[in-house]
Amino acid sequence: MRIDIITVLPELLKSPFEASILKRAIEANLVEIHFHNLRDYTSDKYKSVDDYQFGGGAGMVMLIEPIDKCISALKTERSYDDIIYMTPDGERLNQGIANQLSLKKNIIILCGHYKGVDQRVRDHFITREISIGDYVLSGGELGAAVLCDAVIRLIPGVLGNETSALTDSFQDNLLAPPIYTRPRDYNGWQVPEILFSGDFPKIEKWREDQALIRTRERRPDLMDD
């Protein structure tokens, strides 16, 4: 998979990809991450990427021209499955969306900034709009990092255990069941006996039941989907 990220703040984005699972995925050539500074595609000496909005109002708007130039340049080199715009009013990111995107070959992520982008960008270039939650950030960079993390960990070979991602919370619209490790007894707090039974069908049934209980208690909305 190749992910091209268009941003006005590439330095803000780089660190999440320089450690842990994302770094290992890049080093193993399972994913390519490329950052594109939108200011490199501007046409004035000030490298302007924004301007006042027509009709008045507070907040600056990202210009269409540098975004067009950047996306067009990338599309001359390869085809893209999706061009994603990170925006608070996009569809809310969930595990299903991450699963879908993990199967793509090439995607572009455009990070919004200021008041947002000229609507014509959304009308003519963007194929999907994604939000990481019902709140506003200073820009789309942190949202892009979250999206990349959620997607890249699903690519085969990225995680040490291939089944690990399949048992995460939100797969099958359920939260993950309780998990335990050593010691078996800590300050009198015991690990459930079923986990030591060696009866793996019963253990899996217990986990399924616990996942259902936890989801009903904490996120009943998931069971309505």
Side-chain angles (χ1 to χ4, degrees):
M1 169 182 274
R2 175 184 170 118
I3 302 175
D4 290 274
I5 305 177
I6 303 173
T7 171
V8 296
L9 292 171
E11 63 276 10
L12 179 62
L13 264 171
K14 291 179 180 179
S15 62
F17 299 91
E18 295 174 345
S20 190
I21 291 172
L22 299 187
K23 179 183 179 182
R24 293 199 299 270
I26 294 169
E27 291 177 343
N29 295 318
L30 296 172
V31 65
E32 291 182 44
I33 304 292
H34 298 270
F35 305 104
H36 304 275
N37 191 333
L38 196 58
R39 297 189 189 280
D40 294 338
Y41 297 87
T42 56
S43 56
D44 68 325
K45 64 179 181 179
Y46 301 108
K47 295 188 177 295
S48 302
V49 295
D50 64 304
D51 206 339
Y52 296 101
Q53 56 182 304
F54 287 131
M60 305 293 279
V61 180
M62 294 179 71
L63 297 165
I64 187 173
E65 183 180 8
I67 296 173
D68 179 11
K69 286 182 177 179
C70 184
I71 292 176
S72 296
L74 290 171
K75 290 175 74 174
T76 62
E77 300 174 357
R78 68 194 58 81
S79 60
Y80 286 91
D81 302 299
D82 264 315
I83 301 176
I84 298 168
Y85 174 48
M86 303 303 302
T87 174
D89 58 350
E91 59 182 324
R92 192 185 301 178
L93 177 63
N94 58 32
Q95 194 63 43
I97 293 173
N99 290 343
Q100 293 168 18
L101 293 177
S102 72
L103 302 176
K104 307 293 186 180
K105 183 177 180 182
N106 300 314
I107 62 175
I108 293 173
I109 301 176
L110 171 62
C111 301
H113 234 274
Y114 312 109
K115 194 69 175 178
V117 300
D118 186 302
Q119 181 62 38
R120 290 168 291 184
V121 172
R122 303 172 78 165
D123 292 341
H124 299 286
F125 298 107
I126 302 303
T127 63
R128 193 163 197 172
E129 301 184 350
I130 294 178
S131 166
I132 63 167
D134 296 338
Y135 46 86
V136 178
L137 299 173
S138 299
E141 285 76 16
L142 297 179
V146 168
L147 176 62
C148 288
D149 189 289
V151 170
I152 291 171
R153 67 191 308 279
L154 297 172
I155 297 173
V158 170
L159 297 180
N161 185 335
E162 291 299 325
T163 63
S164 180
L166 299 178
T167 57
D168 285 340
S169 289
F170 305 112
Q171 294 287 7
D172 299 325
N173 278 0
L174 292 176
L175 300 182
I179 54 176
Y180 301 88
T181 189
R182 290 188 293 256
R184 182 169 179 171
D185 181 328
Y186 184 75
N187 289 343
W189 303 329
Q190 302 285 339
V191 175
E193 285 298 322
I194 183 67
L195 298 177
F196 302 101
S197 68
D199 190 330
F200 294 106
K202 285 186 177 180
I203 291 173
E204 286 307 307
K205 179 61 167 59
W206 177 85
R207 286 174 171 158
E208 291 173 6
D209 291 343
Q210 291 298 311
L212 284 168
I213 291 170
R214 178 169 283 186
T215 304
R216 287 194 189 103
E217 291 177 346
R218 301 186 181 188
R219 290 294 305 276
D221 57 297
L222 292 174
M223 306 192 76
D224 296 331
D225 293 340

Short mmCIF file of all heavy atoms in Angstrom, two decimals, residues 103-146:
data_model
loop_
_atom_site.label_atom_id
_atom_site.label_comp_id
_atom_site.label_asym_id
_atom_site.label_seq_id
_atom_site.Cartn_x
_atom_site.Cartn_y
_atom_site.Cartn_z
N LEU A 103 -7.59 -2.63 2.22
CA LEU A 103 -7.53 -3.44 1.01
C LEU A 103 -7.15 -2.61 -0.22
O LEU A 103 -6.96 -3.17 -1.31
CB LEU A 103 -8.90 -4.10 0.76
CG LEU A 103 -9.42 -5.00 1.89
CD1 LEU A 103 -10.82 -5.50 1.56
CD2 LEU A 103 -8.47 -6.16 2.14
N LYS A 104 -7.02 -1.30 -0.06
CA LYS A 104 -6.67 -0.44 -1.17
C LYS A 104 -5.18 -0.51 -1.48
O LYS A 104 -4.37 -0.90 -0.64
CB LYS A 104 -7.06 1.01 -0.86
CG LYS A 104 -8.50 1.22 -0.43
CD LYS A 104 -9.48 0.95 -1.55
CE LYS A 104 -10.91 1.31 -1.14
NZ LYS A 104 -11.90 1.06 -2.20
N LYS A 105 -4.83 -0.11 -2.68
CA LYS A 105 -3.42 -0.11 -3.09
C LYS A 105 -2.79 1.27 -2.92
O LYS A 105 -1.71 1.41 -2.38
CB LYS A 105 -3.30 -0.58 -4.53
CG LYS A 105 -1.86 -0.68 -5.02
CD LYS A 105 -1.78 -1.22 -6.44
CE LYS A 105 -0.32 -1.31 -6.90
NZ LYS A 105 -0.24 -1.79 -8.31
N ASN A 106 -3.46 2.31 -3.44
CA ASN A 106 -2.94 3.68 -3.37
C ASN A 106 -4.04 4.63 -2.92
O ASN A 106 -5.14 4.62 -3.50
CB ASN A 106 -2.43 4.14 -4.75
CG ASN A 106 -1.32 3.27 -5.29
OD1 ASN A 106 -0.39 2.93 -4.58
ND2 ASN A 106 -1.43 2.90 -6.56
N ILE A 107 -3.74 5.43 -1.91
CA ILE A 107 -4.71 6.45 -1.48
C ILE A 107 -3.98 7.77 -1.23
O ILE A 107 -2.80 7.80 -0.89
CB ILE A 107 -5.50 6.03 -0.23
CG1 ILE A 107 -4.58 5.84 0.98
CG2 ILE A 107 -6.33 4.79 -0.50
CD1 ILE A 107 -5.35 5.56 2.27
N ILE A 108 -4.72 8.85 -1.42
CA ILE A 108 -4.26 10.19 -1.07
C ILE A 108 -5.09 10.67 0.10
O ILE A 108 -6.31 10.46 0.13
CB ILE A 108 -4.42 11.17 -2.25
CG1 ILE A 108 -3.49 10.80 -3.40
CG2 ILE A 108 -4.15 12.61 -1.80
CD1 ILE A 108 -3.72 11.62 -4.66
N ILE A 109 -4.44 11.31 1.08
CA ILE A 109 -5.16 11.93 2.19
C ILE A 109 -4.84 13.42 2.17
O ILE A 109 -3.67 13.82 2.24
CB ILE A 109 -4.75 11.34 3.55
CG1 ILE A 109 -5.03 9.83 3.58
CG2 ILE A 109 -5.50 12.03 4.68
CD1 ILE A 109 -4.56 9.15 4.86
N LEU A 110 -5.86 14.24 2.07
CA LEU A 110 -5.72 15.69 2.12
C LEU A 110 -6.08 16.17 3.51
O LEU A 110 -7.19 15.91 4.00
CB LEU A 110 -6.62 16.35 1.07
CG LEU A 110 -6.73 17.87 1.14
CD1 LEU A 110 -5.38 18.54 0.89
CD2 LEU A 110 -7.78 18.37 0.13
N CYS A 111 -5.15 16.86 4.14
CA CYS A 111 -5.39 17.39 5.49
C CYS A 111 -5.95 18.80 5.39
O CYS A 111 -5.31 19.70 4.85
CB CYS A 111 -4.09 17.42 6.29
SG CYS A 111 -3.31 15.81 6.49
N GLY A 112 -7.15 18.98 5.92
CA GLY A 112 -7.74 20.31 5.93
C GLY A 112 -7.04 21.21 6.92
O GLY A 112 -6.34 20.76 7.83
N HIS A 113 -7.23 22.51 6.75
CA HIS A 113 -6.64 23.48 7.67
C HIS A 113 -7.47 24.75 7.59
O HIS A 113 -8.31 24.91 6.71
CB HIS A 113 -5.18 23.78 7.31
CG HIS A 113 -4.24 23.57 8.46
ND1 HIS A 113 -3.96 24.54 9.39
CD2 HIS A 113 -3.53 22.49 8.84
CE1 HIS A 113 -3.10 24.06 10.28
NE2 HIS A 113 -2.83 22.81 9.97
N TYR A 114 -7.22 25.66 8.52
CA TYR A 114 -7.93 26.93 8.57
C TYR A 114 -9.44 26.66 8.67
O TYR A 114 -9.87 25.82 9.43
CB TYR A 114 -7.57 27.80 7.37
CG TYR A 114 -6.09 27.89 7.12
CD1 TYR A 114 -5.49 27.25 6.03
CD2 TYR A 114 -5.27 28.57 8.02
CE1 TYR A 114 -4.12 27.30 5.83
CE2 TYR A 114 -3.89 28.63 7.83
CZ TYR A 114 -3.33 27.99 6.74
OH TYR A 114 -1.98 28.04 6.55
N LYS A 115 -10.25 27.34 7.86
CA LYS A 115 -11.69 27.11 7.87
C LYS A 115 -12.08 25.88 7.07
O LYS A 115 -13.17 25.34 7.21
CB LYS A 115 -12.41 28.35 7.30
CG LYS A 115 -13.91 28.41 7.54
CD LYS A 115 -14.21 28.63 9.02
CE LYS A 115 -15.71 28.82 9.25
NZ LYS A 115 -16.01 29.00 10.69
N GLY A 116 -11.16 25.42 6.24
CA GLY A 116 -11.43 24.27 5.38
C GLY A 116 -10.95 24.56 3.97
O GLY A 116 -10.23 25.52 3.72
N VAL A 117 -11.36 23.71 3.03
CA VAL A 117 -10.93 23.87 1.64
C VAL A 117 -12.05 24.47 0.80
O VAL A 117 -13.24 24.36 1.13
CB VAL A 117 -10.50 22.53 1.01
CG1 VAL A 117 -9.34 21.93 1.78
CG2 VAL A 117 -11.66 21.55 0.95
N ASP A 118 -11.67 25.10 -0.29
CA ASP A 118 -12.62 25.58 -1.29
C ASP A 118 -13.54 24.41 -1.67
O ASP A 118 -13.07 23.29 -1.94
CB ASP A 118 -11.84 26.07 -2.50
CG ASP A 118 -12.72 26.75 -3.56
OD1 ASP A 118 -13.66 26.09 -4.05
OD2 ASP A 118 -12.44 27.91 -3.89
N GLN A 119 -14.83 24.63 -1.66
CA GLN A 119 -15.80 23.56 -1.90
C GLN A 119 -15.56 22.83 -3.22
O GLN A 119 -15.86 21.64 -3.35
CB GLN A 119 -17.22 24.14 -1.87
CG GLN A 119 -18.33 23.12 -2.10
CD GLN A 119 -18.37 22.03 -1.04
OE1 GLN A 119 -18.13 22.31 0.13
NE2 GLN A 119 -18.66 20.80 -1.44
N ARG A 120 -14.98 23.53 -4.19
CA ARG A 120 -14.74 22.89 -5.49
C ARG A 120 -13.73 21.74 -5.39
O ARG A 120 -13.77 20.81 -6.20
CB ARG A 120 -14.30 23.94 -6.51
CG ARG A 120 -15.44 24.90 -6.89
CD ARG A 120 -14.93 26.09 -7.65
NE ARG A 120 -14.13 26.97 -6.79
CZ ARG A 120 -13.62 28.15 -7.19
NH1 ARG A 120 -13.84 28.56 -8.43
NH2 ARG A 120 -12.92 28.88 -6.35
N VAL A 121 -12.86 21.79 -4.40
CA VAL A 121 -11.96 20.67 -4.15
C VAL A 121 -12.77 19.45 -3.78
O VAL A 121 -12.55 18.35 -4.29
CB VAL A 121 -10.95 21.01 -3.03
CG1 VAL A 121 -10.13 19.77 -2.65
CG2 VAL A 121 -10.02 22.14 -3.45
N ARG A 122 -13.72 19.63 -2.90
CA ARG A 122 -14.56 18.52 -2.43
C ARG A 122 -15.45 18.00 -3.55
O ARG A 122 -15.72 16.80 -3.66
CB ARG A 122 -15.39 18.97 -1.23
CG ARG A 122 -14.53 19.48 -0.08
CD ARG A 122 -15.33 20.09 1.05
NE ARG A 122 -15.94 19.09 1.90
CZ ARG A 122 -16.45 19.35 3.11
NH1 ARG A 122 -16.39 20.58 3.61
NH2 ARG A 122 -16.99 18.39 3.82
N ASP A 123 -15.90 18.93 -4.40
CA ASP A 123 -16.82 18.54 -5.48
C ASP A 123 -16.13 17.78 -6.60
O ASP A 123 -16.73 16.88 -7.21
CB ASP A 123 -17.49 19.79 -6.08
CG ASP A 123 -18.44 20.47 -5.10
OD1 ASP A 123 -18.86 19.82 -4.13
OD2 ASP A 123 -18.75 21.67 -5.33
N HIS A 124 -14.86 18.10 -6.88
CA HIS A 124 -14.23 17.59 -8.10
C HIS A 124 -13.02 16.67 -7.89
O HIS A 124 -12.60 15.99 -8.83
CB HIS A 124 -13.82 18.76 -8.99
CG HIS A 124 -14.97 19.61 -9.44
ND1 HIS A 124 -15.87 19.21 -10.40
CD2 HIS A 124 -15.40 20.84 -9.02
CE1 HIS A 124 -16.79 20.14 -10.57
NE2 HIS A 124 -16.53 21.15 -9.75
N PHE A 125 -12.45 16.65 -6.69
CA PHE A 125 -11.27 15.82 -6.46
C PHE A 125 -11.48 14.72 -5.41
O PHE A 125 -10.94 13.63 -5.53
CB PHE A 125 -10.07 16.69 -6.02
CG PHE A 125 -9.65 17.70 -7.05
CD1 PHE A 125 -9.93 19.04 -6.88
CD2 PHE A 125 -8.98 17.30 -8.20
CE1 PHE A 125 -9.55 19.97 -7.82
CE2 PHE A 125 -8.59 18.22 -9.14
CZ PHE A 125 -8.88 19.57 -8.97
N ILE A 126 -12.22 15.03 -4.38
CA ILE A 126 -12.34 14.13 -3.23
C ILE A 126 -13.33 13.01 -3.52
O ILE A 126 -14.42 13.24 -4.03
CB ILE A 126 -12.77 14.93 -1.98
CG1 ILE A 126 -11.78 16.05 -1.69
CG2 ILE A 126 -12.94 14.00 -0.79
CD1 ILE A 126 -10.34 15.58 -1.48
N THR A 127 -12.94 11.79 -3.17
CA THR A 127 -13.83 10.65 -3.35
C THR A 127 -14.43 10.18 -2.03
O THR A 127 -15.42 9.44 -2.02
CB THR A 127 -13.10 9.46 -3.99
OG1 THR A 127 -12.05 9.01 -3.12
CG2 THR A 127 -12.49 9.85 -5.33
N ARG A 128 -13.82 10.59 -0.91
CA ARG A 128 -14.33 10.17 0.39
C ARG A 128 -13.93 11.19 1.44
O ARG A 128 -12.81 11.69 1.42
CB ARG A 128 -13.77 8.80 0.76
CG ARG A 128 -14.46 8.14 1.93
CD ARG A 128 -14.15 6.65 1.97
NE ARG A 128 -15.10 5.94 2.81
CZ ARG A 128 -15.16 4.62 2.90
NH1 ARG A 128 -14.34 3.85 2.21
NH2 ARG A 128 -16.06 4.04 3.68
N GLU A 129 -14.85 11.51 2.36
CA GLU A 129 -14.56 12.46 3.43
C GLU A 129 -14.71 11.74 4.76
O GLU A 129 -15.72 11.07 5.01
CB GLU A 129 -15.50 13.65 3.36
CG GLU A 129 -15.40 14.40 2.03
CD GLU A 129 -16.27 15.65 1.99
OE1 GLU A 129 -17.11 15.83 2.91
OE2 GLU A 129 -16.12 16.45 1.05
N ILE A 130 -13.69 11.86 5.61
CA ILE A 130 -13.65 11.10 6.86
C ILE A 130 -13.36 12.02 8.04
O ILE A 130 -12.52 12.92 7.96
CB ILE A 130 -12.60 9.98 6.79
CG1 ILE A 130 -13.01 8.93 5.74
CG2 ILE A 130 -12.41 9.31 8.15
CD1 ILE A 130 -12.01 7.81 5.55
N SER A 131 -14.06 11.77 9.14
CA SER A 131 -13.85 12.47 10.41
C SER A 131 -13.44 11.45 11.47
O SER A 131 -13.88 10.30 11.42
CB SER A 131 -15.15 13.15 10.85
OG SER A 131 -15.10 13.57 12.19
N ILE A 132 -12.61 11.85 12.42
CA ILE A 132 -12.28 10.92 13.51
C ILE A 132 -13.13 11.19 14.75
O ILE A 132 -12.94 10.55 15.78
CB ILE A 132 -10.77 10.97 13.87
CG1 ILE A 132 -10.37 12.36 14.39
CG2 ILE A 132 -9.92 10.56 12.69
CD1 ILE A 132 -9.00 12.37 15.05
N GLY A 133 -14.08 12.13 14.66
CA GLY A 133 -14.96 12.37 15.80
C GLY A 133 -15.66 13.71 15.69
O GLY A 133 -15.31 14.55 14.86
N ASP A 134 -16.66 13.88 16.51
CA ASP A 134 -17.47 15.09 16.47
C ASP A 134 -16.85 16.22 17.27
O ASP A 134 -17.37 16.65 18.30
CB ASP A 134 -18.89 14.79 16.98
CG ASP A 134 -19.61 13.80 16.08
OD1 ASP A 134 -19.23 13.68 14.90
OD2 ASP A 134 -20.55 13.15 16.56
N TYR A 135 -15.71 16.68 16.81
CA TYR A 135 -15.01 17.80 17.42
C TYR A 135 -14.09 18.39 16.36
O TYR A 135 -13.87 17.78 15.30
CB TYR A 135 -14.20 17.36 18.65
CG TYR A 135 -13.38 16.12 18.43
CD1 TYR A 135 -12.10 16.17 17.89
CD2 TYR A 135 -13.91 14.86 18.75
CE1 TYR A 135 -11.36 15.03 17.67
CE2 TYR A 135 -13.17 13.71 18.54
CZ TYR A 135 -11.89 13.80 17.99
OH TYR A 135 -11.15 12.66 17.78
N VAL A 136 -13.57 19.57 16.61
CA VAL A 136 -12.74 20.26 15.62
C VAL A 136 -11.30 20.34 16.11
O VAL A 136 -11.05 20.72 17.26
CB VAL A 136 -13.29 21.68 15.35
CG1 VAL A 136 -12.39 22.41 14.35
CG2 VAL A 136 -14.72 21.61 14.81
N LEU A 137 -10.37 19.96 15.25
CA LEU A 137 -8.94 20.08 15.52
C LEU A 137 -8.38 21.27 14.75
O LEU A 137 -9.06 21.83 13.88
CB LEU A 137 -8.21 18.80 15.10
CG LEU A 137 -8.63 17.51 15.81
CD1 LEU A 137 -7.95 16.31 15.17
CD2 LEU A 137 -8.29 17.58 17.29
N SER A 138 -7.15 21.63 15.03
CA SER A 138 -6.52 22.75 14.33
C SER A 138 -6.23 22.43 12.87
O SER A 138 -6.07 23.33 12.05
CB SER A 138 -5.22 23.16 15.04
OG SER A 138 -5.49 23.58 16.37
N GLY A 139 -6.16 21.16 12.55
CA GLY A 139 -5.92 20.74 11.18
C GLY A 139 -6.16 19.25 11.04
O GLY A 139 -6.38 18.54 12.03
N GLY A 140 -6.08 18.76 9.82
CA GLY A 140 -6.38 17.36 9.57
C GLY A 140 -5.21 16.42 9.78
O GLY A 140 -5.37 15.20 9.61
N GLU A 141 -4.04 16.96 10.16
CA GLU A 141 -2.85 16.12 10.28
C GLU A 141 -3.00 15.03 11.33
O GLU A 141 -2.66 13.85 11.08
CB GLU A 141 -1.63 16.98 10.59
CG GLU A 141 -1.09 17.77 9.41
CD GLU A 141 -1.92 18.99 9.07
OE1 GLU A 141 -2.74 19.41 9.92
OE2 GLU A 141 -1.76 19.55 7.97
N LEU A 142 -3.46 15.37 12.52
CA LEU A 142 -3.61 14.36 13.56
C LEU A 142 -4.68 13.33 13.18
O LEU A 142 -4.53 12.14 13.46
CB LEU A 142 -3.95 15.03 14.90
CG LEU A 142 -2.88 15.98 15.46
CD1 LEU A 142 -3.33 16.59 16.77
CD2 LEU A 142 -1.55 15.25 15.64
N GLY A 143 -5.72 13.79 12.54
CA GLY A 143 -6.73 12.85 12.05
C GLY A 143 -6.17 11.91 11.01
O GLY A 143 -6.49 10.72 11.00
N ALA A 144 -5.32 12.43 10.13
CA ALA A 144 -4.69 11.58 9.11
C ALA A 144 -3.80 10.52 9.75
O ALA A 144 -3.76 9.37 9.31
CB ALA A 144 -3.87 12.45 8.14
N ALA A 145 -3.08 10.91 10.81
CA ALA A 145 -2.22 9.95 11.51
C ALA A 145 -3.05 8.84 12.15
O ALA A 145 -2.69 7.66 12.11
CB ALA A 145 -1.38 10.67 12.57
N VAL A 146 -4.18 9.22 12.76
CA VAL A 146 -5.09 8.23 13.35
C VAL A 146 -5.61 7.28 12.28
O VAL A 146 -5.63 6.05 12.46
CB VAL A 146 -6.25 8.94 14.08
CG1 VAL A 146 -7.34 7.94 14.45
CG2 VAL A 146 -5.76 9.67 15.32
#
